[in-house]
Amino acid sequence: MTFIDLRSDTVTQPTPAMREAMAQAPVGDDVYGEDPSLNRLQEMAAERLGKEAALFVPSGTMGNLAGILAHCTRGDEVILGNKAHTFLFEAGGISALGGVHSCQIPNQEDGTLDLDDIRNAIRPDDAHQPVTRLVTLENTHNRCGGVALNAEYTRAVGQLAHDRNLRLHLDGARLFNAAAGLGVVAKELVEPVDSVTFCLSKGLCAPVGSILCGSRDYIQKAHRLRKQLGGGMRQAGILAAAGIVALETMVERLPEDHKRAQSLAQGLAQIPGLVLDPGTPYTNMVFLSLAEDAQIGTASQVARRLADQSILVGVVGERRFRLVTHYWINDEAVDRAISTFRAVL
Ligand code: TLP
């Protein structure tokens, strides 16, 4: 029996069309800027997001790292959410490697940062304090349930940041899920930001890679940082070829994943012992917990029992799960996941 892997959309395998495009891709040495496939992907991405330039990086983590370091110098401070992926899950790279100090303010349940909290976190001009340089947002917001931030909110944060001479960076690992969830084009969501990363290797199914977009000067700086971080690649057009297929064919179908997340949530909500987060799913993530009075062990124990039945789920707390739908999860997989949960509980 094949595994039904709901742990993340990072587990997506490249599609047959991607494998074919990778095999045929014209390539060159990208450190010399000579890879035609990579250059094409970067141009497509910049155009799609309405930014001057784009840079291919091996991962979302490196995209955020190079992206933040290109705005900041050592000792500068970035304001971010206390549930931000960059704060929680990127191994402290911005401080370990860039000397960037972080000021964490509470993420609201809807993934936003309160405008007053941002305002109050901006440092005065005082030699005792770090210099506030940057604000970052995340869209969709992973630890806030995969919720999407709308353009109006992002515009308000952009205006606040720019009025105070700060820059705004967006971790848009799942930017196209946000756009699909809100029924808008991604360009609209990133118009107010100075820089944005998005991932090709999550819901868009490419095997490797993320893109950082911004102004031409900014991307030139990020390009040097990518080299410093060891992310300058050679015939990376093999990877870019899959990214091109991702942008051309995988963006428009994301609503299917969101619909399946809805079906999954509806099915799981009927099972005694499971409590779904209010509002879940916003996009392609379903968050749920074991009911307080359910005597069925911990989430890890339940996940092991599910794995024995070929269902893989994410454990994100003592009694908490995250299930993510993606291209390789079809209707039958959703039904099987629901019936296996029922059987195991
Ligand atoms: N998220 C992964 C894990 O690291 C948690 C996942 O399974 O969701 N920004 C956001 C919002 C992300 O969710 C992730 C990956 C990243 C950045 C980092 O991307 P990669 O894994 O390509 O470095």
Side-chain angles (χ1 to χ4, degrees):
M1 200 184 274
T2 52
F3 278 98
I4 292 174
D5 197 342
L6 293 155
R7 289 172 300 170
S8 182
D9 46 12
T10 59
V11 303
T12 45
Q13 299 269 324
T15 64
M18 286 177 186
R19 290 178 188 271
E20 177 63 25
M22 292 172 81
Q24 305 298 334
V27 294
D29 190 326
D30 179 53
V31 169
Y32 298 148
E34 290 174 0
D35 190 300
S37 301
L38 200 62
N39 291 340
R40 183 163 162 235
L41 171 64
Q42 291 175 163
E43 280 160 25
M44 279 173 73
E47 198 198 322
R48 187 148 191 157
L49 293 194
K51 300 295 178 196
E52 283 176 9
L55 183 72
F56 181 79
V57 286
S59 67
T61 299
M62 192 187 284
N64 286 330
L65 179 56
I68 290 172
L69 300 195
H71 286 299
C72 299
T73 54
R74 297 184 74 79
D76 282 352
E77 189 167 71
V78 52
I79 297 172
L80 42 61
N82 62 353
K83 294 186 183 161
H85 192 277
T86 299
F87 175 58
L88 293 176
F89 300 122
E90 294 173 18
I94 57 169
S95 45
L97 303 173
V100 175
H101 202 246
S102 72
C103 174
Q104 310 104 43
I105 60 178
N107 271 114
Q108 306 301 305
E109 280 183 10
D110 63 358
T112 61
L113 303 176
D114 186 273
L115 293 180
D116 280 334
D117 286 347
I118 299 177
R119 230 173 257 122
N120 292 332
I122 299 171
R123 305 279 189 162
D125 184 10
D126 170 350
H128 295 85
Q129 302 194 33
V131 174
T132 307
R133 188 73 66 192
L134 181 70
V135 179
T136 73
L137 296 174
E138 185 175 317
N139 199 6
T140 61
H141 200 291
N142 189 339
R143 278 303 136 123
C144 292
V147 67
L149 311 184
N150 64 34
E152 195 187 350
Y153 170 74
T154 309
R155 220 173 291 126
V157 177
Q159 176 142 22
L160 166 57
H162 296 145
D163 284 351
R164 303 293 296 269
N165 201 25
L166 309 179
R167 300 285 162 265
L168 177 59
H169 172 76
L170 179 71
D171 175 357
R174 297 183 181 82
L175 176 69
F176 292 106
N177 291 91
L182 295 165
V184 299
V185 290
K187 196 190 255 189
E188 198 181 320
L189 296 178
V190 302
E191 190 275 325
V193 310
D194 300 287
S195 56
V196 52
T197 49
F198 72 85
C199 291
L200 296 160
S201 64
K202 298 192 167 60
L204 303 186
C205 283
V208 177
S210 288
I211 302 270
L212 173 67
C213 296
S215 70
R216 213 171 295 288
D217 286 351
Y218 168 84
I219 289 297
Q220 208 174 336
K221 256 175 116 175
H223 184 261
R224 182 179 299 247
L225 281 157
R226 184 185 70 175
K227 186 71 187 159
Q228 285 182 333
L229 295 169
M233 292 164 283
R234 301 296 177 174
Q235 287 72 34
I238 296 265
L239 304 173
I244 291 169
V245 176
L247 280 183
E248 283 179 339
T249 67
M250 303 303 282
V251 172
E252 310 306 325
R253 60 155 304 284
L254 289 173
E256 289 177 32
D257 298 339
H258 298 187
K259 233 171 84 198
R260 289 200 177 93
Q262 293 280 353
S263 311
L264 181 61
Q266 277 158 18
L268 294 173
Q270 308 306 315
I271 301 175
L274 292 180
V275 181
L276 274 74
D277 278 17
T280 197
Y282 298 105
T283 50
N284 68 332
M285 296 180 181
V286 181
F287 279 82
L288 61 146
S289 302
L290 296 170
E292 271 179 29
D293 57 354
Q295 306 286 321
I296 37 188
T298 63
S300 297
Q301 289 164 335
V302 171
R304 267 197 297 277
R305 279 182 256 149
L306 290 164
D308 289 342
Q309 308 290 320
S310 305
I311 307 290
L312 303 180
V313 299
V315 173
V316 293
E318 175 78 14
R319 299 177 72 77
R320 201 162 153 69
F321 305 98
R322 183 188 72 163
L323 278 60
V324 186
T325 54
H326 51 76
Y327 179 76
W328 297 100
I329 300 296
N330 59 18
D331 290 337
E332 195 199 330
V334 168
D335 290 345
R336 245 181 69 202
I338 296 167
S339 58
T340 311
F341 250 104
R342 192 184 291 281
V344 157
L345 292 182

